[in-house]
């Protein structure tokens, strides 16, 4: 009796395996350097004339609301928040600690940038919840502390953009945009203190110099170094 067996040997799909390895490699590279890539994107956006405008407004808002929060936490109150098309702003307060209020404009923007990025980096749902919180913060600011039409218009633009972000169909897109916003706010907080060195002796640095007798350049250095330290911390946590 003769029995024969004919079988086929299954060979591994080398092309499919190579494709998966390539995708994994790209994903690993992006994960390792994602913060620096977002920071690079933020630097490019800062140079685009029209695209950069709402991001400048948002960074200014975080700067001014930080003055206000410092006033509230030190026993004072917010009288009015004003934003201007050129990216300038003003938070008028009454009472509270003059030192904390002056210091936490730039310091607060650094914290906001770091907080937005790090929370968005944790989970897509956290990014969604925090973006909804920012919408409520903007609404509250418009109701309680905005007195002029120009600021109302600027905050309305920011509000609409944030609402559109929250309503994105896929959370991964919202997460990426929130990370980008955090990176832009942080990058602006790194460079914006240097605008105080203009010889006019006005602004937060001059106010702190009058309060502490320490030179304005020292406070500029503290804010910029803090922003750089935050950037390095986020880069290390993102790897």
């Amino acid at each position: 009796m003769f029995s024969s067996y004919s079988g086929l040997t299954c060979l591994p799909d080398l092309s499919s395996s190579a494709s998966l390895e390539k995708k994994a490699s790209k994903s690993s590279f992006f994960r390792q350097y994602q913060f620096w890539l977002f920071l690079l994107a933020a630097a490019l956006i800062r140079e685009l004339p029209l695209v950069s405008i709402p991001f400048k407004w948002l960074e200014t808002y975080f700067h001014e609301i930080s003055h206000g929060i410092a006033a509230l936490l030190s026993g004072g109150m917010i009288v009015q928040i004003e934003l201007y098309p050129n990216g300038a702003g003003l938070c008028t307060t009454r009472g509270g600690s003059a030192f904390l209020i002056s210091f936490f404009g730039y310091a607060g923007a650094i914290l906001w940038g770091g907080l937005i990025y790090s929370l968005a980096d944790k989970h897509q749902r956290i990014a969604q919840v925090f973006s909804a919180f920012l919408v409520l913060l903007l609404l509250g600011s418009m109701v309680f502390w905005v007195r002029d039409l120009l600021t109302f218009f600027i905050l309305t633009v920011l509000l609409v953009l944030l609402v559109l972000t929250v309503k994105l169909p896929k959370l991964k897109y919202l997460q990426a945009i929130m990370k980008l916003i955090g990176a832009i706010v942080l990058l602006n907080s790194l460079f914006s203190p240097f605008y105080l060195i203009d010889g006019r002796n006005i602004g937060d640095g001059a106010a702190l110099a009058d309060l502490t007798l320490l030179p304005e350049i020292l406070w500029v250095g503290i804010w910029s170094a803090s922003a750089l330290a935050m950037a390095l911390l986020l880069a290390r946590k993102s790897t």
Side-chain angles (χ1 to χ4, degrees):
M1 184 177 180
F2 180 78
S3 174
S4 66
Y5 173 79
S6 177
L8 295 175
T9 303
C10 294
L11 297 175
D13 189 345
L14 297 179
S15 62
S16 177
S17 177
S19 177
L20 290 174
E21 287 181 3
K22 188 175 181 180
K23 288 182 179 179
S25 176
K26 286 182 178 179
S27 176
S28 176
F29 175 84
F30 178 77
R31 184 66 193 173
Q32 184 174 0
Y33 297 104
Q34 65 168 316
F35 175 75
W36 298 113
L37 293 174
F38 275 112
L39 207 62
L40 176 61
L44 294 175
I45 288 174
R46 287 182 80 243
E47 301 304 318
L48 299 177
L50 294 178
V51 178
S52 64
I53 291 175
F55 292 103
K56 288 180 180 178
W57 290 346
L58 193 58
E59 193 272 338
T60 302
Y61 170 74
F62 286 128
H63 178 105
E64 302 307 334
I65 197 64
S66 296
H67 282 309
I69 292 173
L72 294 173
L73 292 177
S74 60
M77 61 180 293
I78 303 173
V79 176
Q80 183 177 0
I81 290 177
E82 299 172 73
L83 301 179
Y84 305 105
N86 64 355
L90 178 66
C91 180
T92 305
T93 61
R94 182 179 299 126
S97 167
F99 174 81
L100 290 178
I101 294 170
S102 299
F103 181 75
F104 270 99
Y106 290 104
I110 295 168
L111 294 176
W112 279 109
L115 184 65
I116 292 170
Y117 186 93
S118 60
L119 288 180
D121 191 46
K122 286 184 181 298
H123 195 276
Q124 293 176 356
R125 187 63 65 182
I126 294 176
Q128 185 182 42
V129 171
F130 192 70
S131 59
F133 164 76
L134 293 180
V135 168
L136 294 177
L137 184 63
L138 284 172
L139 279 172
S141 299
M142 293 169 72
V143 170
F144 295 107
W145 304 309
V146 172
R147 305 283 184 269
D148 63 289
L149 288 176
L150 182 57
T151 303
F152 190 87
F153 169 76
I154 290 173
L155 289 187
T156 299
V157 172
L158 297 179
L159 185 62
V160 169
L161 292 176
L162 278 176
V163 169
L164 291 176
T165 301
V166 173
K167 290 184 172 294
L168 285 172
K170 292 187 178 181
L171 289 180
K172 66 178 182 180
Y173 298 144
L174 181 146
Q175 185 181 33
I177 290 175
M178 291 299 290
K179 286 182 182 180
L180 182 60
I181 289 174
I184 291 174
V185 171
L186 185 59
L187 190 64
N188 283 338
S189 66
L190 173 64
F191 290 106
S192 56
F194 289 102
Y195 293 121
L196 297 174
I197 309 174
D198 56 6
R200 295 189 297 166
N201 198 37
I202 59 175
D204 298 339
L208 287 170
D210 290 338
L211 288 168
T212 64
L213 301 182
L214 297 174
E216 182 180 41
I217 187 65
L218 175 64
W219 297 107
V220 170
I222 289 174
W223 286 319
S224 294
S226 299
L228 182 59
M230 178 66 78
L232 293 174
L233 177 63
L234 291 176
R236 188 170 66 176
K237 287 177 63 177
S238 296
T239 56

